[in-house]
C-alpha cells in the first residue's frame, strides 16, 4: 500500500475493518442461514441472562440440562457469566424464547476476524495487505473459529467471545497499554478463565524482554495490568459464593454429565496430566469420522477444512 498520511491511514484501517467484518458476517450468515435466528442446542447463556433479569443466578426447569451444575436442588451454568451479560439486551428486547445465541455468536465472530486483521497489522507491519488478508481468511474460515462461531452453544460462544477479547488484549500488550491489557484479560477471565494464566505469562514476559524497559517501569506496568484481573477474580469469587456458599468452589464437581466422565473426574480430578496425551491425540492426529470434507471435524491437522 502506498505511503499515506496518519489521518488517511486511520481511515483506511477503519474501512478495511468494516469491510472484513461485513464480509465475515455475510459469509458466516450464509453458512448457518437455516438456524441463524434460532437458538442453539444448549442455549444456557440465554437462560442465565433471563435469570439475571429476574434477579437470580439459577435456572428454572432448564431443557436440556446436560453439562449444567446441579447443586442443592438448583441448576447453574458451569461456565463464566460474561456471555450472559452480553445476551441481556437481546433477551430483554426479544424475550427468552426468541433471542438467538447463534446470531450473537456470528456477530462476535465477524468482529473477531476483523480485529485479527488489525492486530496482525500491528505485530507484523512488514507483511503486506494481501498476505495479511490470507492469514485473516485462514483464521476465520480454516480454523475451529468457523464452526464455533456458527454453533452458539454454551461451550463455543464463550470461546468465540474470549477470542475476540484476546485480540484486544494482544493489541494492548504490544502497544504497552498495561491498564487496557488488564481490563481485556479481566473480561477474558469472566468468559473463559482457563486462558488467563498463559496470557499473563505472555504479557509480563513481553514487557520484561523489551530492551528499553527498566525493572521499575516493568513493576509499574505489572501493577496496572494485574489490578483489573484481581477485580475480575473477585467478581468470580463472589459469583461462586452466591451459588455454592464457597468463593473457591466453581461447581465443576456437581456437573450433570455422562457417567463415564463423572467416573474419570472422580478418579483423576477436574484437571490432571492423565488427560494430556488423550487431548493431544484428539487435537492433532485423531482420524476423521467420515471421508467427506467436514468443517466440524475433530483433529486440527486431518479434519480441518482449511488445511485440506
Amino acid at each position: 500500500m502506498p505511503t499515506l498520511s496518519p489521518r488517511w491511514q486511520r481511515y483506511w484501517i477503519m474501512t478495511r475493518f468494516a469491510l472484513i467484518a461485513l464480509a465475515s458476517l455475510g459469509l458466516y450468515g450464509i453458512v448457518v442461514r437455516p438456524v441463524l435466528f434460532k437458538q442453539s442446542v444448549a442455549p444456557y447463556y440465554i437462560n442465565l441472562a433471563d435469570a439475571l433479569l429476574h434477579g437470580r443466578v439459577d435456572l428454572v426447569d432448564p431443557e436440556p440440562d446436560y453439562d449444567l451444575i446441579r447443586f442443592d436442588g438448583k441448576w447453574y451454568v458451569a461456565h463464566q457469566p460474561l456471555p450472559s451479560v452480553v445476551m441481556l439486551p437481546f433477551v430483554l428486547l426479544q424475550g427468552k424464547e426468541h433471542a438467538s445465541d447463534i446470531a450473537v455468536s456470528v456477530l462476535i465472530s465477524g468482529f473477531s476476524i476483523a480485529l485479527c486483521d488489525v492486530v496482525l497489522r500491528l505485530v507484523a507491519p512488514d507483511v503486506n495487505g494481501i498476505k495479511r488478508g490470507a492469514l485473516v481468511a485462514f483464521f476465520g474460515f480454516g480454523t475451529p473459529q468457523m464452526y464455533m462461531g456458527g454453533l452458539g452453544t454454551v461451550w463455543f460462544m464463550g470461546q468465540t467471545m474470549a477470542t475476540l477479547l484476546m485480540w484486544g488484549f494482544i493489541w494492548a500488550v504490544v502497544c504497552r497499554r498495561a491498564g487496557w491489557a488488564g481490563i481485556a484479560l479481566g473480561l477474558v477471565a469472566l468468559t473463559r478463565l482457563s486462558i488467563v494464566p498463559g496470557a499473563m505469562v505472555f504479557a509480563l514476559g513481553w514487557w520484561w524482554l523489551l530492551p528499553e524497559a527498566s525493572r521499575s517501569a516493568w513493576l509499574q506496568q505489572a501493577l496496572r495490568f494485574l489490578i483489573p484481573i484481581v477485580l475480575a477474580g473477585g467478581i468470580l469469587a463472589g459469583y461462586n459464593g452466591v451459588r455454592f456458599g464457597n468463593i473457591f468452589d466453581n461447581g465443576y464437581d456437581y456437573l450433570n454429565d455422562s457417567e463415564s466422565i463423572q467416573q474419570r473426574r472422580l478418579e483423576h480430578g477436574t484437571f490432571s496430566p492423565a488427560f494430556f496425551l488423550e487431548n493431544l491425540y484428539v487435537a492433532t492426529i485423531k482420524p476423521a469420522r467420515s471421508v467427506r470434507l467436514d468443517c466440524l471435524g475433530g483433529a486440527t491437522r486431518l479434519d480441518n477444512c482449511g488445511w485440506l
Side-chain angles (χ1 to χ4, degrees):
M1 186 177 72
T3 303
L4 300 174
S5 67
R7 178 182 178 184
W8 283 104
Q9 283 186 5
R10 287 194 296 271
Y11 286 152
W12 167 243
I13 292 171
M14 289 188 294
T15 301
R16 184 177 168 111
F17 176 90
L19 290 174
I20 292 175
L22 289 172
S24 301
L25 289 171
L27 290 171
Y28 272 46
I30 292 172
V31 171
V32 302
R33 183 178 67 255
V35 296
L36 179 58
F37 296 108
K38 297 181 180 180
Q39 294 186 357
S40 70
V41 296
Y44 300 154
Y45 285 133
I46 294 176
N47 298 339
L48 180 54
D50 182 69
L52 292 173
L53 289 173
H54 289 85
R56 56 195 305 162
V57 294
D58 62 298
L59 310 186
V60 178
D61 298 325
E63 182 62 37
D65 56 25
Y66 178 76
D67 227 20
L68 288 174
I69 291 172
R70 181 72 168 173
F71 179 79
D72 199 20
K74 296 180 179 180
W75 293 101
Y76 299 97
V77 175
H79 302 80
Q80 285 72 50
L82 184 60
S84 291
V85 177
V86 173
M87 288 299 306
L88 282 175
F90 300 96
V91 175
L92 182 63
L93 294 173
Q94 298 177 288
K96 176 184 175 182
E97 303 301 326
H98 300 288
S100 171
D101 52 346
I102 295 176
V104 174
S105 184
V106 167
L107 187 66
I108 292 169
S109 298
F111 283 103
S112 182
I113 296 169
L115 268 181
C116 172
D117 180 73
V118 174
V119 174
L120 284 178
R121 183 181 187 275
L122 174 68
V123 301
D126 295 333
V127 175
N128 63 46
I130 295 176
K131 290 181 179 179
R132 190 167 72 249
L135 290 172
V136 171
F138 178 75
F139 164 68
F141 303 97
T143 71
Q145 169 76 11
M146 184 172 187
Y147 69 79
M148 288 193 300
L151 290 176
T153 64
V154 68
W155 303 287
F156 300 126
M157 186 177 176
Q159 291 174 311
T160 55
M161 185 175 295
T163 302
L164 173 69
L165 293 167
M166 282 299 295
W167 291 122
F169 164 75
I170 295 170
W171 171 85
V173 170
V174 174
C175 292
R176 286 180 271 184
R177 306 285 182 87
W180 284 109
I183 291 172
L185 195 56
L187 293 173
V188 170
L190 296 173
T191 307
R192 261 294 185 267
L193 184 60
S194 58
I195 298 174
V196 173
M200 290 178 63
V201 172
F202 167 74
L204 296 174
W206 182 282
W207 295 327
W208 179 270
L209 294 174
L210 290 175
E212 70 275 14
S214 65
R215 300 291 79 92
S216 60
W218 181 86
L219 288 173
Q220 292 177 3
Q221 283 183 313
L223 180 62
R224 292 197 302 271
F225 171 63
L226 292 173
I227 288 175
I229 300 172
V230 172
L231 291 175
I235 293 173
L236 290 177
Y239 185 54
N240 289 339
V242 169
R243 296 185 297 169
F244 311 121
N246 183 347
I247 63 173
F248 300 108
D249 189 351
N250 58 23
Y252 281 90
D253 289 336
Y254 323 120
L255 274 174
N256 180 47
D257 47 20
S258 67
E259 292 185 4
S260 61
I261 295 177
Q262 290 178 4
Q263 182 59 40
R264 297 186 70 194
R265 189 167 59 246
L266 289 173
E267 182 180 353
H268 299 290
T270 305
F271 300 99
S272 171
F275 304 133
F276 175 75
L277 290 178
E278 180 180 351
N279 290 338
L280 186 64
Y281 166 72
V282 170
T284 54
I285 61 174
K286 181 181 178 181
R289 291 171 294 181
S290 65
V291 296
R292 64 186 177 89
L293 182 63
D294 185 4
C295 294
L296 305 183
T300 303
R301 283 172 48 194
L302 297 184
D303 269 313
N304 187 278
C305 60
W307 283 111
L308 294 174

